[in-house]
Amino acid sequence: MDQKTKSEATSAPEARVTDRAAQAAHETVDRVAEHARSAEDRLRESASHASEQARASAEQARERGREYADTVQGFVRARPLTALGIAFAAGCLIAHLGRR
């Protein structure tokens, strides 16, 4: 056997081991990538659901704010002097607490 043939004979089993190791590494990377895709899909779905819930909650808060504003406006229109007295008393209370 000449030097080149010995080198090829020695490298052939090493190449097979390397090929098998590379194949195993590729398979592992593919499995990890599939798990990552699955996790990403779940995270995106959760984020979308949370976003929808946040929008719905914000809309409910805006609606309640409008309802409270309408209630206060109705009260002020119906009883302007009482509303003025309540506002004055609240201002005095806030000023007193602010001095402490």
Side-chain angles (χ1 to χ4, degrees):
M1 231 187 233
D2 65 338
Q3 187 63 19
K4 188 175 182 182
T5 308
K6 284 183 183 179
S7 169
E8 289 173 358
T10 304
S11 66
E14 291 172 358
R16 285 185 294 220
V17 170
T18 304
D19 290 342
R20 284 193 306 247
Q23 182 62 32
H26 286 296
E27 290 171 2
T28 301
V29 168
D30 289 344
R31 281 194 307 272
V32 169
E34 182 57 39
H35 288 296
R37 274 191 289 277
S38 176
E40 179 185 9
D41 290 344
R42 286 192 307 270
L43 285 171
R44 287 183 185 276
E45 186 176 316
S46 294
S48 175
H49 182 68
S51 176
E52 289 172 14
Q53 284 183 327
R55 277 192 215 106
S57 294
E59 183 57 36
Q60 283 180 337
R62 279 192 291 275
E63 185 59 34
R64 279 194 201 127
R66 284 189 285 260
E67 289 173 4
Y68 291 144
D70 290 344
T71 300
V72 169
Q73 285 177 351
F75 181 80
V76 170
R77 284 189 183 121
R79 297 177 185 89
L81 292 177
T82 304
L84 184 61
I86 291 171
F88 179 75
C92 289
L93 179 63
I94 290 171
H96 178 71
L97 292 174
R99 281 188 231 136
R100 290 186 163 192

